[in-house]
Amino acid sequence: MNAVQIRSAEKALSVGTWLIVGGAMLFSILTVTPLMERHSPKGWEWTAPILPLVVDAAVVIVVRLDSVLAALGGHGGRWPIVLRWMTGCMTLALNVADSALKKDLVGAAVHAVAPLLLIVTAETGLTYRRAITAAQSAREAQLKAERAEREQAATERREAQERRQREEREHAAQLAREQREHEALIAREQTAREDAARREERERAEARERAEREARERREQMREQQQAERERLEREAAQRRELEAREREQEARRQQQERAEREARERAALLAAGPVNEKLPEDKARLVVHASFGEGLPVRAAAELCGWSTGWVSARYQEHRDGTGLVLEAAS
């Protein structure tokens, strides 16, 4: 039986036991309370349910603690047995007392069913729980022993595997050592051959380098002679270019001076016309504005000279300040 089946059996036992206990308690309270009411002093009839409740509470304590002790594998000694049988006998006596006093044997037998069933169920449940606890302990011990055997077998297998792996590693290390020694011997022989080949190659390289150095020195001498000739020719060409540049610069300054004088005369001619009453054509007005801007005249004076509005003249002045006006004048 596995753990799930054991828990199911314990649950069935617990539920059944508490159903019987609850039913017996209810039946006992309903049976004993009328008897206690008839035998209580006048005015104290309301205390009749106390006695069956106390007895039934003792029954609940006994059943509950016995189940806990049985689950833990413990034993409470003689007093739990005395309390269990005393409460069972009290419950039986209280339940059959009324019928016995009336000499009703059938009633006494009927009322004895629930207490007797409660007593037998408590004893049987205790036995069942102790047996289940013992079986669980035995099963746990068996499982523990099997687990210990499995762990021991696994440990032995692991040790054997580690031993085999260690032997394999040692064998592989020995083979690797022998292989390294053989490779080292081959490498030494190869190194010796390579050293001899390198010496021969070095001697040949030194001979080639000497021949190349001599040829390079000859080429260097020739290149230096050619370089000196080129530098002489370049100096002469640079002197000619410098002379030509000075002549072009003088010619450019002369042309710039003539253009400035011409522009000054043109501005003077445009400004000499004086204020106009009608708007000049736009291209001519732009020339007048350009001349006014060049002479530093105010916007209003330029507007009077070209006949256009001061706003338009201000826009043209701004173009001249930004440099766009010069482009437009050059294009016109």
Side-chain angles (χ1 to χ4, degrees):
M1 182 178 290
N2 55 30
V4 176
Q5 293 173 333
I6 293 174
R7 286 195 298 271
S8 178
E10 288 180 344
K11 185 177 180 180
L13 178 61
S14 178
V15 172
T17 301
W18 286 109
L19 285 175
I20 294 171
V21 170
M25 288 176 60
L26 180 61
F27 185 79
S28 176
I29 291 172
L30 296 176
T31 301
V32 176
T33 299
L35 176 65
M36 294 303 300
E37 287 179 351
R38 289 195 299 273
H39 291 82
S40 296
K42 187 175 181 179
W44 293 88
E45 292 83 359
W46 58 273
T47 62
I50 295 177
L51 181 61
L53 285 174
V54 171
V55 176
D56 292 337
V59 172
V60 171
I61 292 172
V62 169
V63 172
R64 178 58 181 166
L65 293 181
D66 283 343
S67 64
V68 173
L69 286 175
L72 296 176
H75 194 278
R78 294 191 300 270
W79 286 108
I81 298 174
V82 173
L83 179 60
R84 186 167 60 251
W85 279 97
M86 185 177 70
T87 53
C89 292
M90 287 181 179
T91 303
L92 177 62
L94 290 173
N95 277 272
V96 302
D98 192 20
S99 298
L101 291 174
K102 296 178 180 178
K103 298 184 175 8
D104 185 2
L105 298 179
V106 176
V110 170
H111 287 87
V113 171
L116 291 175
L117 182 61
L118 178 60
I119 294 171
V120 174
T121 300
E123 293 294 332
T124 305
L126 181 59
T127 303
Y128 279 147
R129 286 191 176 90
R130 287 174 178 171
I132 291 172
T133 301
Q136 284 181 325
S137 300
R139 180 174 177 79
E140 290 176 357
Q142 181 182 1
L143 293 176
K144 185 176 181 180
E146 292 176 354
R147 185 165 56 251
E149 291 178 358
R150 288 195 299 271
E151 291 177 354
Q152 180 65 25
T155 302
E156 292 176 356
R157 287 195 300 271
R158 185 170 59 254
E159 291 177 353
Q161 184 177 3
E162 291 177 354
R163 185 167 54 254
R164 287 195 301 272
Q165 292 177 352
R166 184 170 58 254
E167 292 174 355
E168 291 175 356
R169 286 195 299 271
E170 291 175 354
H171 181 65
Q174 183 179 359
L175 292 178
R177 184 168 56 254
E178 294 175 355
Q179 180 68 22
R180 286 195 300 271
E181 292 175 354
H182 179 66
E183 291 176 354
L185 178 60
I186 295 175
R188 286 194 296 272
E189 295 175 354
Q190 181 68 22
T191 302
R193 289 193 296 270
E194 291 177 354
D195 289 341
R198 279 197 295 271
R199 282 195 300 272
E200 294 177 358
E201 181 64 26
R202 186 165 56 251
E203 291 174 356
R204 288 194 296 269
E206 289 176 354
R208 284 196 303 271
E209 287 179 358
R210 283 194 299 272
E212 291 176 355
R213 185 168 56 252
E214 293 173 356
R216 188 166 54 250
E217 290 175 355
R218 288 193 297 270
R219 288 195 299 271
E220 287 291 335
Q221 291 176 358
M222 294 177 62
R223 188 163 48 249
E224 289 177 356
Q225 293 175 0
Q226 294 174 358
Q227 181 68 23
E229 183 65 22
R230 282 197 300 272
E231 289 178 353
R232 185 182 62 77
L233 295 175
E234 289 177 356
R235 283 195 300 273
E236 294 177 355
Q239 290 174 358
R240 287 195 300 271
R241 287 194 297 272
E242 185 178 357
L243 181 60
E244 292 174 357
R246 283 199 298 270
E247 291 177 354
R248 286 195 298 272
E249 185 178 357
Q250 291 175 359
E251 181 64 23
R253 283 200 298 270
R254 186 181 59 76
Q255 291 178 0
Q256 184 177 4
Q257 184 176 2
E258 291 177 356
R259 186 167 55 252
E261 292 175 354
R262 186 173 60 253
E263 289 178 357
R265 288 194 299 272
E266 291 176 356
R267 286 198 299 270
L270 290 172
L271 298 177
V276 296
N277 297 324
E278 295 181 355
K279 292 171 61 176
L280 296 177
E282 185 175 355
D283 54 351
K284 189 173 182 180
R286 285 180 176 273
L287 294 175
V288 172
V289 171
H290 177 64
S292 301
F293 180 79
E295 295 295 331
L297 296 179
V299 174
R300 184 173 299 279
E304 292 177 355
L305 292 174
C306 66
W308 287 68
S309 64
T310 57
W312 184 84
V313 175
S314 297
R316 303 292 78 75
Y317 267 44
Q318 185 63 39
E319 290 176 358
H320 286 295
R321 294 189 189 95
D322 297 337
T324 58
L326 297 177
V327 177
L328 293 173
E329 292 297 335
S332 61

